[in-house]
Amino acid sequence: MSTTMHQHGGIGESIKRKEDGRFLRGKGNYIDDFVLPGMLHMAILRSPHAHARIKSIDTKAAGVKPGVIAVVTGELMAQHKLAWMPTLSGDTQAVLATDKVRFQGQEVAAVIAETKYQAEDARDAIVVDYEILPAVISPDGAKASGAALIRDDKEGQKDNHIYHWESGNKATTQAAFAKAAKVVRLHTFYPRCHPAPLETCGCVADVNPATGKATIYMTSQAPHAIRTVFALVTGLPEQNIRVVSPDIGGGFGNKVPVYPGYVVATAASLLIGRPVKWIEDRTENLISTGFARDYHMTGDLAVDKDGKMVALRVHLDSDNGAFFSDAQPTKFKAGLFHIVTGSYDIPTAHVTADGYYTNKAPGGVAFRCSFRVTEASYLIERLVTNAAIELGMDQAEFRMKNFIRPEQFPYTSATGWVYDSGDYPKAMNLALEKLGYDDLRKDVEQRRKKGEVTGIGVASFTEVVGAGPGAEFDILGLRMFDSAELRVHPTGKAMLRMGTKSQGQGHETTFAQIVAEELGIPASDVAVEEGDTDTAPYGLGTYASRSTPVAGAATAMVSRKLRDKARKLAGHLLEAAEEDLEWERGKFYVKGSPDRAKTIQEIAFAAYTNLPEGMEAGLEGVHYYDPPNMTYPFGTYAVVVDIDKGTGQVKVKRMVAVDDCGVRINPMIVEGQIHGGLTEGYGIAFMELITFDAEGNCIGSNFLDYLLPTAWETPKFEIGETVTPSPHHPLGAKGVGESATVGSPAAYVNAVIDALSPYGITNIDMPVTSDKVWAALRSKGVTE
Ligand code: CDP
């Protein structure tokens, strides 16, 4: 018998993941596993050009190919008012192009056929006559005079500018800069990368012609929000739409938006009256779905004569692609970028942001991060290391001098964030101790004297995760709360349903652990279900590390509601007053008489069989949790690199990561999350890049060009933890899923820049590839 069977599975226990049994046996239920009777297949024709006018689309040859049921164009979609759809950022996006194509890979037409191969063959027979237009591939290009106007479909849109947005205080920041002893500037580009989940996006749309009910099985991180958007876009009554997100093979933000493929497949199923399946291939996923980052950032840090930070000024130009469809709260045009003051007590800051249309895929999703906090964290952590180097101070010491101190929490940042709790010196000290920082620093100095290129990078990030509060955070007006519904069956087993949706984070295990802790039912007796809008309570979904902070809190709250009712039932069963009862995980007993007890299982049975007069039967409830604040996980990461002067190759020798996400529900899962995030951070820092040539052709459209880290490249991680509970979360927990992706890129690059600093090299933009490092060293006259 396995040891896990005896475990209660409460908070803090590293129980094995319940869901892994089916995943390891190949019994997961992913979107491509769905086969419905009479199901058809859809293939999408995409634009080969970044910017071109559509002169004509000839579908005749395609329409008569074997197995073809329908060829769908933008014109047909327009007849049903579905040629355009709203985006998550309140813009419009073409479902199938009618007038122009605006990025390479844009959806132009779709073929529905009996088999996938018939659909693809017929798609290749569609003839489109394009008039090629000049492509805009960067914000600078978008601003240039005479730049092609991308969004000529929008009335009143005279240029490629989308938005201007500001945060902080311009006047006080200017005044502080005027008095500063030193100003350090960093201009850096956080390049476009892609979440690249192993499972691409897809759906099976099944509109029943008899009942009118539309069931859409799809890869969605936010099924309820998608259902509401579908209802608003199609005009179908919301109760007739059922969105089901089955097992998801990685999302990382990529599966938040509504993509045209979902809309076309649903419209096709509605028109044809048969289920339609659409599954993206890898290239389609990389070139057309939600990218991440693509921020050009300039930061100025003002410091006084004692090395104290006095002001921060930041400007960014955002490359949003052809349609502004960033997945982010309505109020914040640049996501949560204005947390850019990071872990530092900077009295004043001013942030400005401008967004631009370009002829690139739309998206701007939060790739394993809380909206744009990753870009913000990268900028401030790179800037702080550069400032330390310029000031001749140690990077750790400079950070320590400027950290928000533990006694300052709750701390209000210069851009208005109220940090809930933190102990930054503690996390940094632990990381430095694990690394053996002081000795290593001496070692670096010695080796540099021998001509070796070696360095240490530190990054002390602060994240902001767990959106809402609903009053501040909404998506398309939907407040960002989340929910949990708990039903305890007569035999004391339970079903927990939630508004979130796991994509591999282990929700079926950790949320059962919260019930185990709060209501005393062992985790193995609690089934967790998410993702079916017909059964789960309404929620905003899983992204931006919001599940534990929001839905985890909802689970604790609903468990406590049920415990209150259980107390009443226990009083009835034990013939004791409620106030005379004590709760011990799993049972109530009469104070002073521990033998007079009723277990939660006995109480659950009574809820259906032996109730006090006037009490409703059953033991179930629901809780919608609107968090009073975000949670602020943090940590310090430290990296040691050696660089080969002859080739520019960077070798990561050590990577120490100390994370603080408050109370850990399942420490083993948390470590897994951190390992995954550090690996993705490594990929972003050194390997991954979605780039474009001058004509707007996407370079990086497959896994030979878009390089994901494997076990071969990935360094060994040394993990540590501190625990600073969140004061407002019912369990003291903060989110953690993305901390490592947010915090690690700066640590890796800071190590490289520290190594190169003796040669006067202050920046290399990611990905830090050997050729860039080699060229930087050569530019300073360094040879082998
Ligand atoms: O929203 P998402 O599930 O991606 O992220 P999260 O809530 O930050 O956490 C990812 C996973 O780590 C959760 O699903 C939990 O399984 C686990 N976790 C934990 O055990 N304790 C915490 N304090 C935070 C997360």
Side-chain angles (χ1 to χ4, degrees), residues 505-507 510-511 542-549 661-667 669-670 673 733-738:
Q505 297 94 322
H507 288 186
T510 35
F511 293 127
T542 291
Y543 42 86
S545 257
R546 61 188 301 280
S547 301
T548 304
C661 61
V663 172
R664 296 180 175 206
I665 314 295
N666 183 318
I669 293 183
V670 169
Q673 293 287 310
K734 302 181 179 188
V736 78
E738 51 210 23

Side-chain angles (χ1 to χ4, degrees), residues 12-61:
E13 288 183 46
S14 285
I15 58 169
K16 287 191 178 158
R17 300 190 345 157
K18 291 169 157 208
E19 45 271 78
D20 286 348
R22 69 173 187 280
F23 293 151
L24 291 171
R25 288 177 178 83
K27 297 292 181 194
N29 196 24
Y30 296 95
I31 198 70
D32 205 18
D33 294 326
F34 280 76
V35 178
L36 302 187
M39 187 175 80
L40 300 168
H41 296 262
M42 182 172 95
I44 295 180
L45 177 73
R46 295 176 181 277
S47 167
H49 306 296
H51 198 191
R53 196 163 298 288
I54 297 176
K55 289 163 70 181
S56 65
I57 303 179
D58 185 349
T59 62
K60 276 196 285 307

Side-chain angles (χ1 to χ4, degrees), residues 203-378:
C203 70
V204 179
D206 181 18
V207 185
N208 184 322
T211 62
K213 176 124 184 175
T215 304
I216 306 152
Y217 304 91
M218 64 189 282
T219 47
S220 175
Q221 296 177 227
H224 284 96
I226 298 287
R227 185 188 67 188
T228 303
V229 173
F230 262 79
L232 294 172
V233 171
T234 60
L236 290 173
E238 199 164 352
Q239 81 279 12
N240 274 3
I241 305 173
R242 177 180 172 212
V243 176
V244 182
S245 285
D247 287 331
I248 294 189
F252 311 112
N254 186 238
K255 291 170 179 166
V256 171
V258 177
Y259 295 120
Y262 301 137
V263 180
V264 182
T266 308
S269 177
L270 181 71
L271 294 175
I272 299 166
R274 288 170 65 180
V276 174
K277 179 187 266 190
W278 163 66
I279 305 287
E280 270 176 359
D281 66 21
R282 177 59 56 197
T283 295
E284 291 181 292
N285 182 256
L286 284 172
I287 68 171
S288 72
T289 65
F291 70 92
R293 330 298 191 223
D294 222 343
Y295 263 22
H296 300 256
M297 308 178 284
T298 305
D300 291 310
L301 183 63
V303 184
D304 72 12
K305 60 177 183 8
D306 302 319
K308 283 284 287 173
M309 300 175 190
V310 291
L312 177 71
R313 187 167 52 212
V314 171
H315 177 72
L316 73 91
D317 278 345
S318 164
D319 184 333
N320 296 91
F323 309 104
F324 184 32
S325 67
D326 285 24
Q328 62 195 357
T330 307
K331 257 191 176 180
F332 306 117
K333 295 290 177 212
L336 308 187
F337 183 83
H338 47 312
I339 187 117
V340 66
T341 51
S343 307
Y344 309 99
D345 185 19
I346 307 178
T348 176
H350 186 230
V351 180
T352 53
D354 285 279
Y356 293 91
Y357 289 121
T358 58
N359 291 116
K360 292 154 77 172
V365 300
F367 169 11
R368 206 166 184 166
C369 77
S370 196
F371 310 109
R372 297 296 191 153
V373 69
T374 308
E375 291 89 323
S377 175
Y378 182 76

Side-chain angles (χ1 to χ4, degrees), residues 366-709:
F367 169 11
R368 206 166 184 166
C369 77
S370 196
F371 310 109
R372 297 296 191 153
V373 69
T374 308
E375 291 89 323
S377 175
Y378 182 76
L379 177 66
I380 186 69
E381 289 307 317
R382 283 282 302 107
L383 184 54
V384 167
T385 283
N386 273 25
I389 292 170
E390 211 170 311
L391 292 167
M393 280 178 82
D394 178 86
Q395 354 166 13
E397 190 193 324
F398 184 50
R399 284 182 165 81
M400 196 63 91
K401 194 179 184 94
N402 286 285
F403 274 153
I404 300 161
R405 294 184 312 280
E407 64 275 15
Q408 286 177 283
F409 291 92
Y411 171 85
T412 305
S413 82
T415 52
W417 297 98
V418 182
Y419 294 22
D420 60 347
S421 64
D423 190 339
Y424 303 153
K426 192 171 168 189
M428 170 175 271
N429 284 333
L430 181 59
L432 299 185
E433 191 187 303
K434 281 178 97 62
L435 194 72
Y437 184 73
D438 294 338
D439 290 343
L440 264 178
R441 206 69 261 178
K442 286 180 204 138
D443 182 55
V444 162
E445 294 319 316
Q446 289 305 320
R447 289 174 55 201
R448 282 181 183 170
K449 283 187 190 137
K450 289 191 243 158
E452 291 179 41
V453 185
T454 178
I456 307 175
V458 176
S460 295
F461 68 94
T462 289
E463 256 224 279
V464 52
V465 305
E472 285 284 305
F473 296 86
D474 72 271
I475 289 199
L476 293 175
L478 298 168
R479 288 167 71 106
M480 297 185 78
F481 59 85
D482 229 290
S483 60
E485 183 205 78
L486 183 57
R487 292 183 178 179
V488 182
H489 309 313
T491 55
K493 317 288 178 186
M495 163 70 76
L496 176 72
R497 291 194 168 114
M498 314 177 68
T500 42
K501 177 64 213 165
S502 190
Q503 307 122 48
Q505 297 94 322
H507 288 186
E508 288 172 44
T509 308
T510 35
F511 293 127
Q513 288 185 257
I514 296 175
V515 176
E517 185 68 33
E518 294 290 330
L519 196 56
I521 298 174
S524 52
D525 287 349
V526 182
V528 177
E529 260 189 28
E530 300 173 304
D532 184 339
T533 58
D534 265 10
T535 55
Y538 202 102
L540 269 284
T542 291
Y543 42 86
S545 257
R546 61 188 301 280
S547 301
T548 304
V550 193
T555 304
M557 299 307 279
V558 73
S559 301
R560 289 175 191 178
K561 271 188 198 170
L562 267 54
R563 199 168 72 198
D564 288 345
K565 182 168 182 184
R567 178 185 286 274
K568 290 188 174 34
L569 280 158
H572 165 69
L573 296 175
L574 293 164
E575 294 177 350
E578 274 182 59
E579 329 56 90
D580 292 339
L581 296 180
E582 285 287 0
W583 168 254
E584 184 189 293
R585 198 172 70 180
K587 63 181 180 196
F588 280 105
Y589 65 90
V590 180
K591 274 181 202 160
S593 309
D595 293 344
R596 282 185 65 203
K598 286 290 168 192
T599 64
I600 189 70
Q601 290 79 8
E602 289 169 313
I603 295 167
F605 198 67
Y608 298 86
T609 58
N610 176 10
L611 293 154
E613 195 63 34
M615 183 186 276
E616 265 184 69
L619 190 56
E620 63 180 64
V622 63
H623 192 90
Y624 289 82
Y625 186 79
D626 189 348
N629 191 5
M630 303 284 275
T631 66
Y632 293 74
F634 60 92
T636 289
Y637 295 164
V639 171
V640 183
V641 296
D642 283 349
I643 295 177
D644 184 317
K645 275 194 286 194
T647 62
Q649 195 192 12
V650 178
K651 182 86 195 146
V652 175
K653 305 291 285 181
R654 304 269 307 274
M655 173 12 137
V656 170
V658 172
D659 272 275
D660 191 321
C661 61
V663 172
R664 296 180 175 206
I665 314 295
N666 183 318
M668 179 187 68
I669 293 183
V670 169
E671 285 198 11
Q673 293 287 310
I674 293 167
H675 273 240
L678 294 174
T679 306
E680 280 183 328
Y682 178 89
I684 291 164
F686 293 109
M687 301 167 72
E688 299 177 23
L689 177 68
I690 300 280
T691 189
F692 296 80
D693 70 12
E695 274 91 49
N697 295 304
C698 179
I699 321 282
S701 59
N702 57 66
F703 281 165
L704 286 177
D705 295 327
Y706 189 72
L707 303 178
L708 297 184

